């Protein structure tokens, strides 16, 4: 639910603002400028070949997909994965086409090797800097939420915990009695629904979020009618986002808005393109990481007794049961009617397995699952079957 709600807010409140621009251009610009810097430091000339490489790298990474408001741990995973795909794509095409001979090997390897470190340092600098800037009064926007309920509270909490949006919630509007609002813990109810329009006209309010159930259509229409002569931005957050949506998104059909509750990416031409890209990328990755996988397999084999690969049942596309491969990280390979997920300081996890789990190296065999068609490189994480 959090991700669906966050996606909804991102699409409506941010729009095409500063945060969107920074997230889209930050990584591509760092990647391009780092290539130029390393080339100049090395004393090389900026030949047309490097200019082409610069634009190719920029286009492959634009727009950036690392959000500044997501956890740093998740951002590090994205940075590593993005770097791995970019390095494989550039080196693979360069060697296959022979185009790699036009470049200085020291410059290219230094550039690719330093890229993840530079991207991570950029994140560490940009996060507090942008947060401080966007939480300043010059950029801050004021908003009110209509309806104190589950989704209204989550909206307020989301804005409070993410200063990158630069939105300050001034309070709630709700039609319930004062005693009832105190009973449910409403922190700051400004007025009832009828007082919304007068309040907006008398106070500086930039945005209104209607966190009302879709069943409240008459009340919503009345509120919109009351606010028609104001200049405030109004967003409707449908209560469908209270549920845990899988790949939830907002789309339109000939101008009519629709909400995708659960949409499969493996349909039509898009499905063919996605499957082909999965096959190509997974094959290249498996060839490149095969020495690493062999070393991990030997580490698992000699660190504790048991199989090298753990086969786990999970739910895949269309709810079908699939077998997923992972390097064994525990002393046991439990299966049955109840699955106990690994926890911190779990005694079942081996020392070598703890390292694999921390670095996510235990999931490398899942590229084989991609070749089998059971999984996709980019897609929802399958849930384990008990």
């Amino acid at each position: 639910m959090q991700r669906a709600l966050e996606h909804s807010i991102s699409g409506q409140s941010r729009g095409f603002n500063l945060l969107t621009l920074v997230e889209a251009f930050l990584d591509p610009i760092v990647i391009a400028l780092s290539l130029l810097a390393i080339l100049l430091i090395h004393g090389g000339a900026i030949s047309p070949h490097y200019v082409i490489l610069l634009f190719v790298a920029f286009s492959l990474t634009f727009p950036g997909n690392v959000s500044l408001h997501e956890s740093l741990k998740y951002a590090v995973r994205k940075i590593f994965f993005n770097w791995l795909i970019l390095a494989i794509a550039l080196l693979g095409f360069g060697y296959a086409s022979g185009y790699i001979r036009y470049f200085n090997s020291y410059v290219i390897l230094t550039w690719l090797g330093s890229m993840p470190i530079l991207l991570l340092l950029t994140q560490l600098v940009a996060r507090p800097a942008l947060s401080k800037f966007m939480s300043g009064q010059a950029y801050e926007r004021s908003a009110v939420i209509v309806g104190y309920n589950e989704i209204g509270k989550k909206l307020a909490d989301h804005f409070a915990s993410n200063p990158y949006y630069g939105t300050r919630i001034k309070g709630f509007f709700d039609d319930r009695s004062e005693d009832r609002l105190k009973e449910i813990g409403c922190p700051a109810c400004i007025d009832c629904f009828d007082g919304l329009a007068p309040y907006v006209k008398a106070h500086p309010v930039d945005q209104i979020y209607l966190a009302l159930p879709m069943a409240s259509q008459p009340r919503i229409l009345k509120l919109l009618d009351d606010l028609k002569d104001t200049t405030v931005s109004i967003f409707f957050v449908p209560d469908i986002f209270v549920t845990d949506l899988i790949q939830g998104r907002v789309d339109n059909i000939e101008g009519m808005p629709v909400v995708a509750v659960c949409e499969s990416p493996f349909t039509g031409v898009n499905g063919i393109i996605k499957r082909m890209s999965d096959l190509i990328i997974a094959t290249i990755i498996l060839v490149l990481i095969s020495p690493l996988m062999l070393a991990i397999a030997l580490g698992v084999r000699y660190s504790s007794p048991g199989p090298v690969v753990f086969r786990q049942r999970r739910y895949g596309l269309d709810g079908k049961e699939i077998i997923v491969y992972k390097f064994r990280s525990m002393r046991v390979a439990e299966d049955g009617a109840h699955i106990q997920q690994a926890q911190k300081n779990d005694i079942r996890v081996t020392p070598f397995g703890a390292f694999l789990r921390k670095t996510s190296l235990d999931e490398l065999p899942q590229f084989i699952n991609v070749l089998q068609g059971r999984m996709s490189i980019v897609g929802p994480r399958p849930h384990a079957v008990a």
Side-chain angles (χ1 to χ4, degrees):
M1 180 179 71
Q2 181 68 17
R3 179 167 294 184
L5 178 59
E6 181 175 313
H7 184 271
S8 173
I9 296 174
S10 300
Q12 299 180 61
S13 70
R14 286 194 303 170
F16 194 70
N17 61 12
L18 179 61
L19 179 60
T20 309
L21 287 172
V22 171
E23 291 179 345
F25 283 94
L26 185 62
D27 286 359
I29 287 178
V30 170
I31 290 171
L33 291 181
S34 62
L35 174 60
L36 289 177
I38 293 172
L39 184 62
L40 293 175
I41 293 173
H42 187 260
I46 305 178
S47 64
H49 304 297
Y50 284 102
V51 175
I52 293 174
L53 176 61
L54 187 149
F55 280 105
V56 169
F58 186 91
S59 62
L60 288 176
T61 55
F62 179 83
N65 66 341
V66 181
S67 300
L68 292 173
H69 62 274
E70 64 191 4
S71 68
L72 188 61
K73 181 179 179 180
Y74 189 60
V76 170
R77 286 189 177 185
K78 273 189 176 181
I79 289 173
F80 175 78
F81 184 79
N82 292 343
W83 166 78
L84 183 63
I85 296 299
L86 179 64
I88 290 173
L90 293 179
L91 292 177
F93 176 78
Y95 281 110
S97 64
Y99 199 68
I100 193 73
R101 68 178 183 271
Y102 292 102
F103 301 96
N104 183 295
S105 58
Y106 174 82
V107 171
I108 298 301
L109 293 178
T110 303
W111 174 54
L112 292 177
S114 62
M115 190 184 299
I117 299 175
L118 292 174
L119 292 175
L120 178 58
L121 290 176
T122 304
Q123 284 280 323
L124 294 175
V125 172
R127 285 169 177 249
L130 191 63
S131 173
K132 184 176 180 180
F133 176 78
M134 296 189 71
S135 60
Q137 293 184 354
Y139 191 83
E140 187 179 68
R141 293 164 295 180
S142 60
V144 295
I145 298 177
V146 181
Y148 184 76
N149 47 36
E150 182 180 355
I151 198 166
K153 288 185 289 185
K154 287 192 175 293
L155 271 172
D157 292 342
H158 190 84
F159 282 127
S161 60
N162 289 275
Y164 301 104
Y165 291 115
T167 300
R168 179 173 61 90
I169 300 299
K170 304 183 73 171
F172 293 83
F173 283 81
D174 200 287
D175 265 354
R176 282 171 285 190
S177 66
E178 185 176 345
D179 293 338
R180 176 57 179 156
L181 291 172
K182 288 182 179 180
E183 182 181 333
I184 61 177
C186 181
C189 188
I190 299 174
D191 205 338
C192 60
F193 292 164
D194 290 338
L196 176 61
Y199 180 86
V200 169
K201 295 175 183 178
H203 298 82
V205 176
D206 301 304
Q207 298 172 335
I208 297 174
Y209 288 89
L210 304 179
L212 298 174
M214 289 188 290
S216 303
Q217 182 183 6
R219 291 195 296 174
I220 295 172
L221 293 177
K222 184 180 184 304
L223 286 171
L224 293 177
D225 187 62
D226 292 341
L227 297 166
K228 64 183 179 182
D229 57 346
T230 66
T231 58
V232 65
S233 299
I234 304 172
F235 301 102
F236 174 53
V237 187
D239 56 352
I240 191 172
F241 287 110
V242 172
T243 60
D244 188 6
L245 300 186
I246 302 175
Q247 295 182 332
R249 65 182 181 88
V250 179
D251 204 345
N252 73 84
I253 300 176
E254 295 295 329
M256 182 176 65
V258 295
V259 177
V261 179
C262 180
E263 180 187 37
S264 171
F266 298 95
T267 55
V269 177
N270 290 335
I272 298 175
I273 296 174
K274 187 169 181 63
R275 180 60 185 147
M276 292 300 297
S277 64
D278 280 344
L279 286 172
I280 295 172
I281 295 175
T283 300
I284 296 174
I285 291 176
L286 282 171
V287 171
L288 294 176
I289 67 174
S290 55
L292 175 61
M293 292 183 66
L294 177 60
I296 295 174
L298 292 174
V300 173
R301 178 68 181 85
Y302 290 105
S303 62
S304 65
V308 171
V309 175
F310 170 55
R311 296 169 176 82
Q312 186 179 52
R313 294 177 298 152
R314 294 186 180 181
Y315 290 119
L317 186 65
D318 299 326
K320 296 179 180 177
E321 188 175 301
I322 60 174
I323 300 296
V324 173
Y325 302 140
K326 297 179 67 175
F327 282 121
R328 181 176 56 82
S329 59
M330 295 184 177
R331 294 182 175 85
V332 294
E334 296 175 335
D335 198 4
H338 175 71
I339 295 178
Q340 181 182 348
Q341 298 293 336
Q343 301 175 356
K344 189 176 182 180
N345 301 322
D346 197 316
I347 60 174
R348 299 173 299 167
V349 179
T350 65
F352 187 67
F355 166 74
L356 295 179
R357 297 177 71 91
K358 186 176 182 180
T359 56
S360 297
L361 292 175
D362 61 322
E363 298 183 358
L364 290 182
Q366 291 176 15
F367 284 109
I368 300 175
N369 295 131
V370 174
L371 291 182
Q372 295 172 327
R374 299 176 182 175
M375 297 179 65
S376 176
I377 291 179
V378 179
R381 179 182 176 86
H383 294 290
V385 179

